[in-house]
Amino acid sequence: MAYTPVRRDRKAPPVRINLLSDTQTRPTPAMREAMARAEVGDEQVGDDPSTNLLCDRVAELMGKEAAVFLPSGTMCNVTATLVYCRPGDEILAHVSAHLIAREGGAHAALGGFQITPLQGADGKFTAETFRAALHPRTRYQPPQTLVSAEQTANIGGGTIWKKADLDEVVKIAKANGMATHMDGARLLNATVATGISARDMTAGWDSAWIDFSKGLGAPIGAVLAGTRDFIDQVWRWKQRLGGSMRQSGMCAAACTYALDHHVDRLAEDHANARALARGLAQIQGVEVQEPETNLVFFKPDGAGISANDMIAALNKRGVQIAVMDGRIRACTHLDVTSAMIEETIAHVREIVRKA
């Protein structure tokens, strides 16, 4: 079976409004300048000062002993599971989590791990659901080694795990000898929306990471944090998987710039998401999930048009957007303005009217 990479139709009109994902952000001119000025060295021998600075800052930000710069959030998740688990071990995560639904089966392919999907509303499982999934440690069942939570929950609607719920998951995991890993793809969206610091949000979790190539606007990179011993072991897998770099400081400098200039502004993305949701909700037949951060999920079925047909119609108008699990997902980010939000609402209203 051949696998074809997803490409945009080259015959489609130019994209003027890109709501496909916050991964579509492009480095700002100021970020590019910071990258050009970055002091660099060989990362593999610990000699890149810009990368070292970034890792130290993220470790401090999340209250962990150490951190490592990785090319992607997927590699953060993969290297973490490869450290924590052995072939045949069981990982517990929400059924819609990146580990299960968005990472190409990497954890099974590379580690031979079994991931048990946990059900729950809005991309989150409850403490009761987690506890009910635990089983006695016998030779008849796989060792339950790791539990993972995704903050924010992407397919759940960009929803935020409550601090109390995260703490309860940690408590249950530790009582049962399990490690805890937080997929922090949009962790800082959660901290900005709640006012809870990243250090407090990740307290008790053995490892956690921040993705810089989403709403923070860097062109590449994520940083995984945990104990020194854990990070040493992640480094071994980073090397094995080809994730070790040389003068990575140019990319790390973009991430440091994002920490200095792009964190607080995530609130603008959240405001734009709420404005989009309000406008869409006023269109008859469009069902909208109230956003908590920068993701807006909606269904136009009640207006007599399918999600795929809506996507096609929007693409013809220069609006790029995604279908995810039967719903349309719009993602706001630093390249999306309030004027673009109003224009998108107008396009949807007109498409529904014609339908």
Side-chain angles (χ1 to χ4, degrees):
M1 180 179 179
Y3 289 88
T4 305
V6 177
R7 294 190 180 95
R8 185 173 180 273
D9 184 357
R10 294 182 179 179
K11 296 180 181 180
V15 176
R16 295 181 299 101
I17 302 173
N18 196 329
L19 295 166
L20 186 68
S21 174
D22 40 13
T23 61
Q24 302 293 295
T25 56
R26 296 182 174 132
T28 63
M31 180 180 283
R32 287 173 179 259
E33 289 179 14
M35 296 172 70
R37 294 194 307 268
E39 188 177 357
V40 298
D42 189 339
E43 183 214 53
Q44 288 199 33
V45 296
D47 196 31
D48 190 295
S50 297
T51 302
N52 293 340
L53 172 64
L54 173 65
C55 291
D56 289 344
R57 283 195 58 177
V58 173
E60 174 65 24
L61 182 70
M62 294 200 284
K64 308 301 181 188
E65 291 180 358
V68 58
F69 184 50
L70 294 165
S72 68
T74 295
M75 191 173 282
C76 288
N77 280 339
V78 170
T79 55
T81 60
L82 289 169
V83 169
Y84 288 127
C85 306
R86 296 294 175 266
D89 282 3
E90 183 179 350
I91 301 169
L92 279 71
H94 190 271
V95 64
S96 67
H98 288 136
L99 270 71
I100 296 176
R102 290 294 182 269
E103 294 178 347
H107 307 275
L110 299 176
F113 311 135
Q114 173 176 305
I115 305 181
T116 296
L118 302 180
Q119 301 293 331
D122 301 329
K124 300 170 290 183
F125 55 87
T126 65
E128 291 73 22
T129 298
F130 175 33
R131 188 179 287 108
L134 299 176
H135 56 64
R137 290 183 176 269
T138 74
R139 66 178 182 272
Y140 300 106
Q141 294 174 300
Q144 294 180 311
T145 309
L146 179 68
V147 62
S148 178
E150 186 179 306
Q151 183 73 305
T152 62
N154 174 19
I155 300 176
T159 51
I160 301 169
W161 277 81
K162 293 181 179 179
K163 168 67 173 161
D165 293 337
L166 292 172
D167 291 345
E168 187 64 20
V169 169
V170 168
K171 181 179 178 182
I172 296 168
K174 296 308 176 186
N176 288 273
M178 298 177 67
T180 54
H181 173 70
M182 184 181 293
D183 174 334
R186 295 180 176 88
L187 172 62
L188 295 189
N189 286 92
T191 65
V192 168
T194 62
I196 300 172
S197 70
R199 176 183 288 260
D200 289 342
M201 191 78 77
T202 62
W205 290 78
D206 295 312
S207 55
W209 56 273
I210 295 173
D211 195 332
F212 285 92
S213 65
K214 290 188 170 68
L216 295 177
I220 189 173
V223 178
L224 173 61
T227 65
R228 293 191 187 282
D229 178 66
F230 169 77
I231 295 301
D232 285 345
Q233 295 180 68
V234 168
W235 253 105
R236 182 179 296 278
W237 280 109
K238 176 179 176 176
Q239 188 77 36
R240 286 172 172 169
L241 296 174
S244 293
M245 296 173 276
R246 297 300 181 184
Q247 290 73 37
S248 59
M250 288 184 288
C251 295
C255 301
T256 299
Y257 180 90
L259 285 178
D260 291 335
H261 301 280
H262 289 172
V263 175
D264 290 342
R265 65 144 308 281
L266 291 172
E268 299 173 20
D269 300 340
H270 301 167
N272 280 334
R274 291 192 297 271
L276 177 60
R278 283 195 303 271
L280 293 174
Q282 293 171 9
I283 301 172
Q284 187 172 0
V286 176
E287 179 185 338
V288 186
Q289 180 179 344
E290 183 67 24
E292 295 183 17
T293 50
N294 67 322
L295 303 181
V296 179
F297 281 79
F298 66 99
K299 296 175 69 174
D301 305 52
I305 183 170
S306 70
N308 286 327
D309 287 344
M310 174 64 75
I311 293 292
L314 286 170
N315 284 344
K316 289 178 181 179
R317 296 164 181 252
V319 180
Q320 194 169 17
I321 202 165
V323 173
M324 197 166 285
D325 288 359
R327 297 180 296 166
I328 298 175
R329 189 193 76 168
C331 187
T332 58
H333 50 81
L334 62 84
D335 290 336
V336 175
T337 65
S338 58
M340 292 177 180
I341 295 298
E342 293 304 316
E343 183 178 344
T344 300
I345 294 169
H347 285 314
V348 173
R349 183 180 295 111
E350 179 63 14
I351 292 167
V352 167
R353 186 189 67 78
K354 289 184 177 180

